[in-house]
Amino acid sequence: MEILIDPDLAVKRRRRAARAFDPKAAFLLDIAAEELSLRLSAIERRFDDAVELFGATGAAASACLATGKIDAFKSVEVAPDARPTLLAESFEDVPLEAESVNLVIAPLCLHLVNDLPGSLIRIRRALKPDGFFMAATPGVGTLAELNDVLLETDIALHGGASPRVVPFGEVRAMGALLQRAGFSLPVADVETYTVRYDSLFALMADLRAMGMTNSLAARSRRPVSRRYFLEAARRYQEKYADPDGRIRATFSLIFLSGWAPHDSQQKPLRPGSAKMRLEDAIRQAAAAADDEKP
C-alpha cells in the first residue's frame, strides 16, 4: 500500500480545526451536507441506525436528519472537540461492528485515507444487508489553481517541485472502487464549484480552518518563508484573478453511493442471457420509428 497521507498529521490538522472552529470556513462541508441530504431524500425508505464518519461539524448528519428519513445518528470522529459518539485513532479506522448499521455517510474524509479500498470494504461490512452508503469527497480539479502556482513557486525559488496538494481521485475510478469493495448498484457523480477570495492568504486561512492543508507524507520539510507565500500570491493573482481582482479556487466534489448486497436488489442479467442482440434491438427500434413517420 502506497502511503500518500501522513495519518498522524491529518488527524492533528483536523483536531486543530475543531478546536478553532470557524463556521464561515465550513462552507464546503455545508455544500456536501446539502447535496447528500438531497440524495437521501429521494430514497423511499427509512434508516433507524445511521452513522456519520468524520463529519467534523456534523452538518451532514443534521441535514440528513432533516429529511425525516433517519431516526438518529451516531458519529465517528478523530477530534474529541467534535464530541463524537465513537473516537477513532485515524481516518483509516471504521470502528463499527459487522452488519451493525443500515446507513453510513462520509462527508469530505475519504481523501485522507491511504488504504481507500480497505476502508470501503470495512464500511460495506459494517452495513446490514441492504444498508446504504453515501460519501462526498474532493475530486480531480480541486484546488488546481493553488497546486499550479505552488509548483511554479517551488521551481522558481527552490529549483524543484515539492508536492503540496493531495492528488484527488477521478470520478470513474472512485465508482470502480465502490464496485471492487462489494457495493451493489454503485453510483458516482461530480459537481464543480468556484469560490472567490480576496487573496491567496484568505484561501489558505479557509483551508487551515477546514483541516485541509498539506498532510502529504512526501511533503517538503523545508520551512516555508514569507517570501515563498508572497511570490505564490503574486503568481496566483496574475493567473487566476477576475477583473475585480478577486482570485478563483475550484472545488470538485465527487458524490458516491452504494448498497450492501441483498437478495431483494435488482441484479444485472447474466452475460449471454439476453433474448435479442443489442444490434438487432436497435435496428428493430429504428424500423418502428420509420413506420410511424407520416
Side-chain angles (χ1 to χ4, degrees), residues 206-217:
D206 266 9
L207 295 178
R208 191 174 298 109
M210 289 188 283
M212 286 184 65
T213 46
N214 190 358
S215 296
L216 289 167

Side-chain angles (χ1 to χ4, degrees), residues 116-166:
L116 183 53
S119 288
L120 291 174
I121 288 170
R122 288 189 286 275
I123 291 168
R124 194 257 303 157
R125 288 175 176 168
L127 288 169
K128 299 174 184 177
D130 207 30
F132 190 50
F133 169 62
M134 293 193 304
T137 186
V140 168
T142 296
L143 298 175
E145 304 90 348
L146 178 64
N147 188 48
D148 180 38
V149 299
L150 294 183
L151 288 176
E152 281 190 1
T153 304
D154 271 323
I155 292 169
L157 297 186
H158 303 144
S162 174
R164 297 189 184 274
V165 176
V166 172

Side-chain angles (χ1 to χ4, degrees), residues 20-86:
F21 174 62
D22 180 359
K24 293 180 181 178
F27 69 91
L28 206 58
L29 276 164
D30 292 340
I31 290 172
E34 181 179 2
E35 291 288 343
L36 290 171
S37 66
L38 285 173
R39 287 160 170 76
L40 184 65
S41 65
I43 296 173
E44 296 297 327
R45 62 169 289 185
R46 289 185 61 83
F47 299 91
D48 57 9
D49 206 344
V51 170
E52 181 189 50
L53 279 180
F54 310 118
T57 64
S62 297
C64 288
L65 277 170
T67 66
K69 303 283 186 176
I70 300 167
D71 295 331
F73 254 110
K74 298 174 186 174
S75 62
V76 175
E77 188 51 80
V78 294
D81 292 271
R83 299 182 181 178
T85 309
L86 296 168

Side-chain angles (χ1 to χ4, degrees), residues 176-192:
L177 282 177
L178 282 178
Q179 194 165 28
R180 176 180 164 188
F183 285 97
S184 297
L185 310 173
V187 175
D189 63 276
V190 63
E191 298 284 347
T192 299

